[in-house]
Amino acid sequence: MPPPVVGIDLGTTHSLVAVMKGERPELIPNRFGKRLTPSVVGIDKNGQVHVGESAKNQLVSAPDRTVMEVKRIMGSSQKVSLGDRSYTPQEISGFVLKALKEDAERALGEKVVEAVVTVPAYFTDAQRQATKDAGALAGLKVERILNEPTAAALAYGIDHLDKEQFVLVYDLGGGTFDVSVLEMFEGVLDVKASAGNNHLGGADFDQAIAEWLMQAAEALGLELRNDAKAKARLKVAAEAAKIELSSVMETHINIPFLGVKDGEPVSLEIDLPRETLEKLLGRHLESTLKPIETALKDAKLEKATVAEVILVGGSSRIPMVHQLLEKFFGKAPRGGVHPDEAVALGAAIQAGLKSGAIKSGNSIM
Ligand code: ADP
Ligand code: MG
């Protein structure tokens, strides 16, 4: 057996690693048993590097020793200062990749030295090269850089290569929104056009909900605008409520001892129905239709010509996203894959083709 080649989704907010198990791609859980590793790097008081959940946990208490969203500056000459040193974006991403590599090695019980790593379709050569360099720093040979929408299409099983067709990939993540139109032709999946909004994603939705909670707290007489810790707790509660409302119609938010009024601790307890959430997020979500129109126009396509709409990114799990897209395209988006896992699974499929773990058959090379 050749050593496994893993597939890695190196995301702005989360990263994932997957591998082929027989004929199917499978996610590899991290050291905490989670499939998603926050793309956050922190250095603790002893100079020890932390990646993921433990780094995310020190964001509020040690912001000067913690960095997130480094993907936004990949390929630039900007430096990141962390504790008493500064790092290149490649070094920071390298820490994330190294953690994923180690988690994969632990789970698979063997060395991992090669990976397929995904990047947004719009990444420049410099950004792609920086991503490869990050891999090298982590001890990984980046065998191939794959476009995220292409990876997602692979995961959704877009492999009817006999047909010539167009698919649209709608990727709403933690901090970015990307839409890509792909053409399938003679065995090749080609990105024809891409558009999006580099500053729209789940973090904005959390912010909108946290602001709504802040107003509820103010109605109780709490003044928290200068209280970083209270604001961080509102954000955490906001994200949890948002995620829950993707599967239930109403959620109850309870934040004990959020602040103090007249010397007494005050807790915040409030119901958040999905309807209210949709009012808070509606404007943001409706704004994603515009880049879709732009991408279709650039690809010289009518929306009726799109054979499949593919959902990617954790935020595309919001039911209102499905409703908006179904209304816009006149058909439901393709289902069957967890949208936040699709890119990593597709990267593993590509990696499997390379290492011979699956037969290339009629799949996309
Ligand atoms: P990225 O590609 O930017 O790293 P992800 O695809 O991992 O991002 O998406 C992360 C975002 O998805 C976060 O803002 C998270 O809160 C959101 N998210 C995850 N699951 C859900 C859900 N079930 N409903 C709504 N939002 C979700
Ligand atoms: Mg992503």
Side-chain angles (χ1 to χ4, degrees):
M1 281 282 279
V5 184
V6 294
I8 295 180
D9 171 6
L10 185 60
T12 309
T13 41
H14 294 117
S15 297
L16 301 89
V17 54
V19 73
M20 291 307 290
K21 281 279 169 68
E23 301 260 308
R24 299 195 59 78
E26 229 177 74
L27 279 159
I28 302 175
N30 66 20
R31 57 200 80 181
F32 305 109
K34 298 269 173 65
R35 296 162 166 224
L36 276 70
T37 298
S39 306
V40 183
V41 174
I43 303 225
D44 68 18
K45 288 191 199 84
N46 309 318
Q48 182 89 22
V49 176
H50 294 263
V51 172
E53 214 64 57
S54 54
K56 194 177 172 183
N57 288 340
Q58 68 166 48
L59 254 176
V60 179
S61 61
D64 53 328
R65 281 191 275 109
T66 317
V67 54
M68 57 188 284
E69 298 199 346
V70 75
K71 187 173 180 178
R72 291 190 183 281
I73 57 166
M74 279 301 265
S76 78
S77 55
Q78 217 172 307
K79 290 275 176 49
V80 179
S81 88
L82 210 56
D84 49 18
R85 240 200 81 179
S86 80
Y87 296 83
T88 62
Q90 293 91 307
E91 285 178 294
I92 300 295
S93 286
F95 289 135
V96 176
L97 289 172
K98 184 153 175 278
L100 297 172
K101 169 179 149 66
E102 288 168 0
D103 287 342
E105 287 175 339
R106 189 169 306 133
L108 300 174
E110 55 185 317
K111 283 272 164 225
V112 171
V113 288
E114 264 190 273
V116 169
V117 181
T118 59
V119 297
Y122 60 79
F123 254 29
T124 62
D125 285 346
Q127 291 170 305
R128 286 163 198 264
Q129 186 57 50
T131 305
K132 274 194 168 178
D133 295 344
L137 290 170
L140 279 174
K141 182 170 175 286
V142 179
E143 190 268 318
R144 179 164 177 164
I145 293 282
L146 183 66
N147 287 324
E148 289 165 9
T150 308
L154 285 174
Y156 274 95
I158 301 293
D159 59 0
H160 304 285
L161 297 176
D162 39 329
K163 282 194 258 174
E164 185 194 340
Q165 61 176 24
F166 293 90
V167 299
L168 183 135
V169 177
Y170 178 104
D171 182 349
L172 188 57
T176 55
F177 169 58
D178 301 318
V179 45
S180 316
V181 174
L182 306 186
E183 182 183 23
M184 214 158 76
F185 184 66
E186 291 183 349
V188 181
L189 259 177
D190 196 20
V191 179
K192 297 307 278 183
S194 46
N197 180 348
N198 244 322
H199 291 276
L200 177 69
D204 301 289
F205 312 153
D206 301 346
Q207 183 55 44
I209 302 162
E211 179 56 38
W212 180 80
L213 289 173
M214 177 69 92
Q215 285 170 15
E218 282 173 351
L220 295 175
L222 294 180
E223 182 37 75
L224 306 169
R225 302 256 165 209
N226 297 317
D227 184 343
K229 193 151 171 247
K231 284 201 284 192
R233 291 183 69 201
L234 291 181
K235 274 251 183 88
V236 170
E239 182 178 17
K242 171 191 75 176
I243 290 175
E244 219 178 311
L245 288 174
S246 288
S247 47
V248 298
M249 295 308 287
E250 177 163 298
T251 183
H252 184 71
I253 298 171
N254 180 5
I255 313 176
F257 310 123
L258 182 62
V260 177
K261 191 194 166 206
D262 303 331
E264 293 289 325
V266 178
S267 304
L268 179 64
E269 278 206 54
I270 191 165
D271 287 328
L272 178 57
R274 188 187 282 176
E275 206 186 323
T276 306
L277 178 86
E278 294 185 342
K279 286 204 182 95
L280 292 171
L281 308 190
R283 182 178 53 88
H284 286 304
L285 296 179
E286 276 154 19
S287 79
T288 62
L289 297 179
K290 189 92 200 138
I292 295 181
E293 281 170 350
T294 307
L296 289 173
K297 193 158 163 264
D298 290 352
K300 300 192 174 56
L301 278 191
E302 299 292 329
K303 58 185 170 188
T305 319
V306 173
E308 300 275 4
V309 178
I310 291 173
L311 295 181
V312 182
S315 300
S316 75
R317 285 182 157 180
I318 297 173
M320 194 182 186
V321 167
H322 294 233
Q323 288 150 21
L324 282 170
L325 291 177
E326 183 156 2
K327 193 158 162 240
F328 183 85
F329 285 100
K331 62 169 161 272
R334 190 178 174 106
V337 177
H338 286 314
D340 36 12
E341 300 178 354
V343 170
L345 294 173
I349 293 172
Q350 178 66 53
L353 290 173
K354 150 75 172 62
S355 69
I358 50 171
K359 289 186 289 295
S360 58
N362 67 340
S363 291
I364 291 139
M365 295 295 281

